[in-house]
Every structure is written in structure tokens, then in C-alpha cells.
Amino acid sequence: MGVDKKILVIPGDGIGQEVTAWGQKVLETIAENYKHNFVFEEGIMGHVAIEATGNPLPDETLDKARKCDAILFGAIGHAKYDNDPTLKVRPEQGLLKIRKELGLYANLRPIKLFDELLEASSIKPEILRGADILFFRELTGDVYFGEKKRSEDRNTASDLMIYHRYEVERIARKAYEAARTRRKKLCSVDKANVLEASRLWREVVQEIAKEYPDVETEHMFIDNAAMQLVKDPKRFDVVLTANLFGDILTDEASQIAGSMGMLASASVGDSTGFYEPIHGSAHDIAGKGIANPLASILSAALMLDISFGLKTESLRVIKAVEATLKQGFRTMDIANKHTENHFVMGTDAMGAKVLENLN
């Protein structure tokens, strides 16, 4: 029996406009093939929203977000904000606000390497083969939301790194529950030798670990974790970490998958889920039709699984992506110039190939 779901699509900025269309088309195809009823609405956020309304997250978009079952998001950001840090209204404020308003405290980033992309990474294939990591990054605490100060003479600045016990408890439990369904290994990453916020983090994780005696728990400092991630990625299963450290580590981990253009993510809390590729707005290639749509398509697969409980449909999408790669089709970011049987194509052609394999 089919399900009825309302999905808000927020393409956002830059290549978000190009890749999100293919995530939506995949969801539409799944709905048709499996007799589901997905109703789509669209909202604006980020730079395009600032240009249109002066607000990076307009009330209308937030209202739609509160009333939907899941959100498919593209990216936010624009070079003008990178080049002028004094601007008070910024695209990223929209993303931070929607996370806070919807209670999206856990960011899940699966780092799973398709065998066909072993050569796309800068890391040796023998180190990569078999890597399968699930990151749990806390989203509503840390320096992103702590008090920010700048001295009157503009020569001193500070950002408060802050965590509350309940914030650590709730994401730790989600990570442990996920570890139970995988290899039953969890690595908590912090900087407890230096930071008081990390000492609280480690203390709370140690307490929660007692509730999951079947899961092997390891604690690792962020600097060591960054090294081990490229030295021996197969040692990790579930990685639990704070907002700032998770932001950095998951970008580093994109090299395991071959490209940021391959990495999907889910931001979840206790209700609505928010699904997005991790690659950002990439304005240097926006409008050129060369962006990789696979991360958006894989984000749609995550939505089907996590928010809708449609595991068969989710796996079908992943298999369609895998089949597309097996056939040798590549976007520029994952192409191997030394391989003759690769067919390098643009965003729309790659998206169309996945749809072909989905039908």
C-alpha cells in the first residue's frame, strides 16, 4: 500500500539549483513505480532568499517546513559573503535557523565507497576498499550557536564553544542505536585534553555507553581522528562528534568516497528530516551544467529510508546509482582520466542515466 507524504524542496543557491532537480525527479519516479503519493512544494533559502526578501529564511519557507514530512535541500552560499565577512545578513543564518527551529540536532553522513570509484580518491585503493563509516555530527550546539563577541577596536574576537548535557545525551543515543544495527563499534571524537566542553562531551558519552554494553566504545582526540581517517578508514564504523569537529571530519572523509559530489546527508531530530548533499553551493561551477547530481539523489534515498521507512525503495535508488557507475558514466569530479571506458557527462545527462536505471 502506498504512502502519502509532503516534501518541501529548497534548491537554495549555486549548484543546489541544478542538482536538487534530479533528487526530486528520483523521488517522483519512485512514487510512480511504487504507487506512493508524494506532494512537492518549493521554498527559498540562503542568498536567493536574501535577494528576494532580505531574509535568509523567509517566514513562508519556515511555515512550509513545519508542515511537511521531509525537506530536500540543495545548498546555500555565495562568493560575495566569503569576500566580505562584515556583512550582517548571511545565507548560512538561514540554515542554522531552520536546524534550530525544527530541532534538527543530529546530522547523519554515511561515507560509503562504491567500488567503481576506488581510483577517484587521492587515497590508495588498498586503504580504501571496504570503508563504510556513518558519522553522527551534533548540529545545534558548539561554537556555531555560542555567544560571539568582537572588541570595539575590532582586534579581538571570541566564539563560545558551549554544550548542554541533554544535547550530548540525545545524539549519543541515536549514534549508539545505529551502531547496534551495524558492526557494533562507536568512536566518539573530542578534544577532552584541552577543552572543557569536550570533557563534558566525553563524560556524557561514557555514561550513555553503559546503556549499550554490546557496542564497543572508543574515545579519540580530534587531531588523531583526522589522521586515522586517512590512514586506516576501515577501522571506523559509527563516529560520534560535536558540531565543529564533525564539520571538518566529514569534509575530509569525502576523499574516501572520491568526491564531495558523492556524499549525502540527513539532519534529523524527533520529527521532520532535512536531506542535503554536503558539497555546498560551489559557485565556481554553478551554471556550467557539470555539477555531480549523485549526492542529491543519494540524499533522496536517505529520505526514503530514514523519514519514510521505505527501505526497499531507498535501496533501489542506491542500486540505480551503482549501476550507472558500473556502466562507466561519470561527472568531472569522479572521472579518472587514465580510464578509457569512462564516459564523462554533465549534470542532466548523469541524472537521466540514473533515472534510466531506476525504471
Side-chain angles (χ1 to χ4, degrees), residues 6-283:
K6 182 181 288 187
I7 301 169
L8 176 62
V9 179
I10 308 176
D13 304 324
I15 64 170
Q17 304 275 341
E18 302 164 51
V19 301
T20 309
W22 288 103
Q24 180 174 342
K25 287 177 182 178
V26 162
L27 290 169
E28 291 169 345
T29 302
I30 286 292
E32 182 179 353
N33 291 352
Y34 289 87
K35 310 304 180 189
H36 300 307
N37 180 35
F38 294 165
V39 177
F40 295 90
E41 287 194 85
E42 187 163 317
I44 58 173
M45 191 166 83
H47 170 69
V48 294
I50 294 172
E51 292 291 296
T53 70
N55 185 347
L57 178 61
D59 292 341
E60 181 182 359
T61 300
L62 184 56
D63 185 56
K64 289 178 180 179
R66 289 192 172 114
K67 295 176 181 176
C68 72
D69 295 296
I71 299 165
L72 181 67
F73 178 64
I76 56 168
H78 193 279
K80 69 176 285 186
Y81 305 94
D82 298 336
N83 296 329
D84 188 355
T86 66
L87 291 172
K88 299 298 183 184
V89 180
R90 309 181 65 82
E92 295 79 8
Q93 293 165 347
L95 186 57
L96 294 177
K97 183 176 180 181
I98 201 168
R99 288 173 179 170
K100 202 76 170 178
E101 293 291 331
L102 298 182
L104 305 174
Y105 59 81
N107 182 233
L108 283 64
R109 293 190 176 183
I111 312 292
K112 184 173 176 58
L113 176 67
F114 290 92
D115 286 345
E116 292 74 23
L117 297 183
L118 276 170
E119 299 294 338
S121 174
S122 57
I123 303 174
K124 294 177 181 178
E126 59 268 27
I127 293 175
L128 288 177
R129 188 175 280 107
D132 182 0
I133 309 169
L134 179 57
F135 278 88
F136 277 76
R137 170 192 169 193
E138 201 287 326
L139 274 188
T140 59
D142 215 332
V143 295
Y144 295 82
F145 293 94
E147 183 182 7
K148 303 176 188 308
K149 292 182 178 180
R150 191 76 175 265
S151 63
E152 289 186 9
D153 63 8
R154 310 294 292 173
N155 291 328
T156 305
S158 66
D159 295 271
L160 179 64
M161 177 179 281
I162 183 170
Y163 266 111
H164 300 90
R165 180 174 294 272
Y166 78 90
E167 292 174 312
V168 186
E169 287 176 341
R170 64 188 181 182
I171 192 170
R173 286 197 173 92
K174 278 193 177 292
Y176 273 103
E177 291 293 336
R180 274 183 165 170
T181 68
R182 292 169 56 91
R183 289 188 284 139
K184 294 182 170 58
K185 292 177 60 179
L186 182 143
C187 179
S188 177
V189 176
D190 59 37
K191 192 64 177 171
N193 58 334
V194 174
L195 302 172
E196 195 62 37
S198 278
R199 293 186 187 111
L200 171 66
W201 181 280
R202 183 171 294 207
E203 176 185 318
V204 174
V205 173
Q206 287 173 335
E207 292 171 2
I208 300 298
K210 296 174 185 176
E211 302 174 18
Y212 300 88
D214 53 322
V215 177
E216 177 189 338
T217 301
E218 178 182 20
H219 297 274
M220 190 176 292
F221 296 143
I222 175 63
D223 41 356
N224 185 31
M227 178 184 69
Q228 296 296 336
L229 194 59
V230 292
K231 180 183 178 183
D232 185 17
K234 292 190 290 290
R235 69 172 290 166
F236 296 105
D237 181 22
V238 171
V239 176
L240 168 65
T241 191
N243 207 343
L244 177 62
F245 299 153
D247 193 358
I248 297 167
L249 285 180
T250 51
D251 277 13
E252 180 190 11
S254 70
Q255 280 305 293
I256 294 172
S259 167
M260 279 191 182
M262 293 300 302
L263 294 187
S265 77
S267 298
V268 300
D270 299 318
S271 55
T272 305
F274 186 93
Y275 299 86
E276 62 178 313
I278 79 161
H279 52 54
S281 55
H283 274 274

Side-chain angles (χ1 to χ4, degrees), residues 297-310:
I297 290 170
L298 291 169
S299 294
L302 277 180
M303 179 190 295
L304 292 168
D305 183 3
I306 297 172
S307 279
F308 301 163
L310 302 173

